[in-house]
Amino acid sequence: MSKKSSSGGLVYSTEFGRACPECREPLDQCRCKEAQAPAGDGIVRVSRESKGRGGKVVTLVSGVPLAGAELKTLAKELKQKCGVGGALKDGIIEIQGDQRDLLAGELTKRGFTVKKAGG
C-alpha cells in the first residue's frame, strides 16, 4: 500500500518505508541533498569587486571545482593565508581586500588553473 502526498509524489511504501519526494528513492539511499561540484570550464577566476559594499574592496574566487566541506576548508585556508576575513556564498569565496596576486599564486600552487578577471 502506498500513500501519495498532495503534490503527487510517493511518500511511503511498504516495500522500503519512507521515500524521498524528489527522487522517490528510499531515504537512506537518497542523493538529492548531496553537494555536487559545480560543472564549469575548470578555470578558477579571481576578481576584484567593490559594488554594493560601501566602497570596500573584496576579492572573489569563483569556479572552484570543489563542493561542500572541501570548498569550505579551502575558503578557510585562503583567508588564513591572506590574514583577513571573508565568506563563502553560493559557491563563491569572498576575501576582504585586494588579494588577487596572493590568491592566484596560492591556487596555482594547489594545482588549479587560475585566471585574473575583472578590474
Side-chain angles (χ1 to χ4, degrees), residues 1 8 23 36-37 40-41 45-46 49 54 63 74 80 106 108 115:
M1 177 171 176
C23 65
Q36 297 176 356
D41 56 1
R45 288 180 170 76
V46 180
E49 185 179 282
L74 177 65
Q80 287 176 344
E106 182 65 24
T108 303
K115 276 190 180 179

Side-chain angles (χ1 to χ4, degrees), residues 77-85 99 102:
E77 291 170 358
L78 291 177
K79 290 187 291 184
Q80 287 176 344
K81 180 75 176 173
C82 295
V84 296
Q99 309 287 340
L102 184 61

